[in-house]
Amino acid sequence: MSTLAGKHIVLGLSGGIAAYKSAELCRALVKAGVTVQVVMTEAAEHFMTAVTMQALSGRPVYTSQWDAREGNNMAHINLSREADAIVVAPASADFLSKLLHGGADELLSLMCLARPIDKVPLIVAPAMNREMWQNPATQRNVAQLKADGIHVLDVGQGDQACGETGDGRMLEAEEILEDLQAFFSPQRLAGQKVLVTAGPTYEAIDPVRGITNLSSGKMGFAVARAARMAGADVTLVAGPVSLATPRGVKRVDVRSARDMLQAVLAQVPSRGVFVATAAVADWRPANAADQKIKKDGSGQAPELGFVENPDILATVAQSPSAQNGDLLCVGFAAESHDLLAHATAKRLRKGVPLLVGNIGPATFGQDDNALLLVDAQGARELPHASKQVLATQLIEDIARRLAGTP
Ligand code: C5P
């Protein structure tokens, strides 16, 4: 379920070595259900052939404003009128400067200038050497382009084709795709600050052993991604998991329940939504040993006493901002049976307006799930689907609650 499916995007390439990533981007867009019309500048053709881009997009590429294939010979008008967006990737320093000044001496810039600005958004992915990127001229151009309503994507950081290292690389194809998906997503949580916990916690027994659980973090990461797609500013507090951080999400890594509580409490005063998907360990060893516990040959296992961990969700639900309605708290319950009864009881026990039940053993580590949304009015099922689809539906539900239209 991509927000890009069915869209028509004009993919413009200006001259830069990053053009090789545009081939991958074109392929990814087509795979996401987009029809892609490629337009290349003469400089772009030095880096990538029109043949490659035609093969990947499945459509003839436009490279000249004098292209006689158009009946009215106005490719710049026709191409821009059909598009849901124009995406220029790579956008060279020279191309940005041309856009800024309304230059129009070849098809791509001519088309950008000729587009109806209130209907066809222009999104650019800059790509250049770090000195060119940092140059005040480029920075001035970027600031003005943004002020003119052009969507300037971030640049990447790292090794550059010239051998230097720094800012100015074009984003990777999958990062641009992610930003485009966010761009086309309904911005239901625009201006909201969302805090999500995810994954298991790890409670040390000694420096080399500990207690944890089978939570993969996938549901919480999907919720964080869905919230970001919906326009929220998202912080994700993650227990030990091996998952990539969703693009555009701030991540704080923690290990134990107490670390998680501390990281969460530091964020709570500035947040409007808290979604607790983490599978927090209920107990921790009472006295974690400083050194590895050794077998002493007696055959006796060490005595492990346990103490209860703080309940992060219940603590946050009691905080002033949750109590006065400035923070919406959403809990999760991983149960093995009697989902409705357990989720209903847990919602009351935790003191939260919305509790999301799921069957733990069926979903831990999986890419799909089914959710039961329980609130004071009753329960609503979100039937079996991928965790990302369910996360998007949950975020829609949360957005309706914030808007007072559940
Ligand atoms: O009590 P139980 O662990 O089943 O509750 C699940 C919900 O409470 C989840 O939202 C989980 O993130 C949260 N929780 C918590 N701190 C704990 C235990 C659970 O925030 N110590």
Side-chain angles (χ1 to χ4, degrees), residues 16-79:
I17 188 64
Y20 75 92
K21 297 183 188 174
S22 309
E24 199 63 49
L25 175 62
C26 179
R27 201 161 170 270
L29 286 169
V30 170
K31 217 171 150 193
V34 176
T35 55
V36 181
Q37 175 60 59
V38 176
V39 175
M40 297 171 72
T41 65
E42 193 260 328
E45 286 191 274
H46 287 276
F47 295 94
M48 178 63 70
T49 72
V51 174
T52 304
M53 298 308 291
Q54 175 170 352
L56 293 172
S57 64
R59 296 164 76 101
V61 170
Y62 283 78
T63 57
S64 163
Q65 75 215 65
W66 310 117
D67 197 314
R69 281 172 296 181
E70 294 294 308
N72 59 1
N73 217 306
M74 294 189 197
H76 63 298
I77 302 290
N78 304 345
L79 294 176

Side-chain angles (χ1 to χ4, degrees), residues 197 257 274 276-282 309-314 330-335 346 349-350 355:
T197 62
F274 175 49
T277 59
V280 183
D282 289 323
N309 267 328
D311 191 313
I312 301 166
L313 177 59
V330 181
F332 266 69
E335 306 295 342
K346 196 162 285 183
R349 200 165 66 243
K350 303 269 177 180
L355 196 113

Side-chain angles (χ1 to χ4, degrees), residues 165-363:
T165 303
D167 288 342
R169 288 168 57 101
M170 188 168 88
L171 296 179
E172 300 303 321
E174 79 240 24
E175 295 173 316
I176 297 178
L177 189 75
E178 186 77 357
D179 285 355
L180 293 179
Q181 276 179 354
F183 182 82
F184 281 108
S185 297
Q187 299 294 285
R188 294 187 171 97
L189 290 185
Q192 283 293 340
K193 294 188 167 194
V194 176
L195 178 63
V196 182
T197 62
T201 62
Y202 176 92
E203 312 297 333
I205 294 172
D206 69 17
V208 296
R209 304 184 185 92
I211 293 172
T212 186
N213 60 63
L214 289 175
S215 167
S216 63
K218 286 180 180 174
M219 192 67 230
F221 275 57
V223 169
R225 178 170 181 257
R228 183 261 170 169
M229 287 279 171
D233 168 327
V234 185
T235 297
L236 173 62
V237 178
V241 293
S242 52
L243 293 175
T245 310
R247 186 162 165 72
V249 167
K250 291 183 234 49
R251 173 171 176 174
V252 181
D253 282 320
V254 296
R255 209 156 87 129
S256 69
R258 286 181 297 173
D259 296 342
M260 188 174 273
L261 176 66
Q262 225 176 14
V264 164
L265 289 181
Q267 297 282 335
V268 158
S270 64
R271 301 278 138 181
V273 180
F274 175 49
V275 187
T277 59
V280 183
D282 289 323
W283 299 281
R284 65 176 182 276
N287 298 301
D290 291 338
Q291 296 184 337
K292 185 181 173 190
I293 302 171
K294 309 290 282 180
K295 282 186 284 195
D296 61 8
S298 69
Q300 283 289 312
E303 292 274 324
L304 287 182
F306 288 91
V307 290
E308 196 169 338
N309 267 328
D311 191 313
I312 301 166
L313 177 59
T315 307
V316 173
Q318 291 305 314
S319 68
S321 53
Q323 289 290 311
N324 68 22
D326 291 339
L327 175 68
L328 174 66
C329 290
V330 181
F332 266 69
E335 306 295 342
S336 60
H337 60 288
D338 288 344
L339 193 52
L340 178 60
H342 284 120
T344 305
K346 196 162 285 183
R347 188 186 81 77
L348 296 171
R349 200 165 66 243
K350 303 269 177 180
V352 295
L354 176 63
L355 196 113
V356 183
N358 58 174
I359 299 292
T363 189

